Amino acid sequence: MLNWEALDAACHACQACPLHETRTNVVFGVGSHQAELLFIGEGPGEREDLTGEPFVGPAGKLLDEYLNAVGISREEVYIANILKCRPPRNRDPKPEEEEACLPWLRRQTALLRPKIIVCLGRIAAKRIIDPDFRITKEHGMWYEKGAYRMIATYHPSALLRDPSKREEAYEDFILIAEAYAALHGKDRA
Ligand code: URA
């Protein structure tokens, strides 16, 4: 198995789908290699494409607010996306782009071995938890898959578009923080 450095380098050279032709930067992922919490988004937006870092644009600022609100720091988690390259004009990823890109995320997950996986939004939840996942109905529910506990919440971009869902998302983040604290036998009440 490739180590983090080799995996990062190989991913930066990826030409497995046509998105490599339009990307400015590959957005591999950031965070602690010891993280027990893995957040998975959809794919890079404009700021992410320009900087090479996930969730640094407006959606990222909102994600940071939720993390801060429940006492989790960005540095202690790992953040990645289904797609490592930006789809033009932020359109939804195509299934074949997701297929081409998923081996990178699988290898990242194998290296990280997180305890909890949080899918940010419908696209990640459908790919990671269940192809029929309904985000409005099934966000905030726990799923067990192999060694992982998984949960999905609304994508921060969706919360920017529809602030009426923010309270529900906050409740999801409380559940996530409680499960995270419980890994260490802490009670977050
Ligand atoms: N939206 C995502 O899904 N991922 C990012 O990295 C930024 C915005």
Side-chain angles (χ1 to χ4, degrees), residues 27 41-45 48 53-56 59 81 155 157:
V27 180
E42 181 177 321
E48 291 77 20
E53 265 211 38
F55 285 100
V56 289
N81 283 308
H155 193 287
S157 299

Side-chain angles (χ1 to χ4, degrees), residues 129-141:
I129 301 177
D130 179 353
D132 297 322
F133 199 90
R134 299 286 311 273
I135 195 81
T136 44
K137 289 211 179 104
E138 291 164 315
H139 73 92
M141 293 169 61

Side-chain angles (χ1 to χ4, degrees), residues 91-184:
R91 63 157 168 73
D92 280 356
K94 295 181 181 168
E96 61 271 25
E97 293 162 353
E98 294 183 4
E99 286 300 332
C101 211
L102 271 169
W104 299 117
L105 183 62
R106 287 204 191 96
R107 290 180 199 146
Q108 287 173 300
T109 309
L111 282 172
L112 194 63
R113 304 207 293 133
K115 301 277 195 313
I116 298 171
I117 297 179
V118 181
C119 296
L120 295 168
R122 168 182 67 91
I123 302 268
K126 279 178 177 280
R127 264 295 161 182
I128 306 295
I129 301 177
D130 179 353
D132 297 322
F133 199 90
R134 299 286 311 273
I135 195 81
T136 44
K137 289 211 179 104
E138 291 164 315
H139 73 92
M141 293 169 61
W142 288 105
Y143 297 81
E144 316 288 329
K145 266 202 183 180
Y148 308 119
R149 298 194 75 199
M150 301 185 177
I151 192 168
T153 189
Y154 291 105
H155 193 287
S157 299
L159 299 173
L160 289 171
R161 285 193 301 271
D162 180 4
S164 73
K165 302 234 164 48
R166 286 195 191 187
E167 188 59 37
E168 286 174 73
Y170 179 57
E171 284 164 19
D172 295 343
F173 271 83
I174 290 179
L175 292 178
I176 293 160
E178 283 173 353
Y180 182 49
L183 295 177
H184 309 279

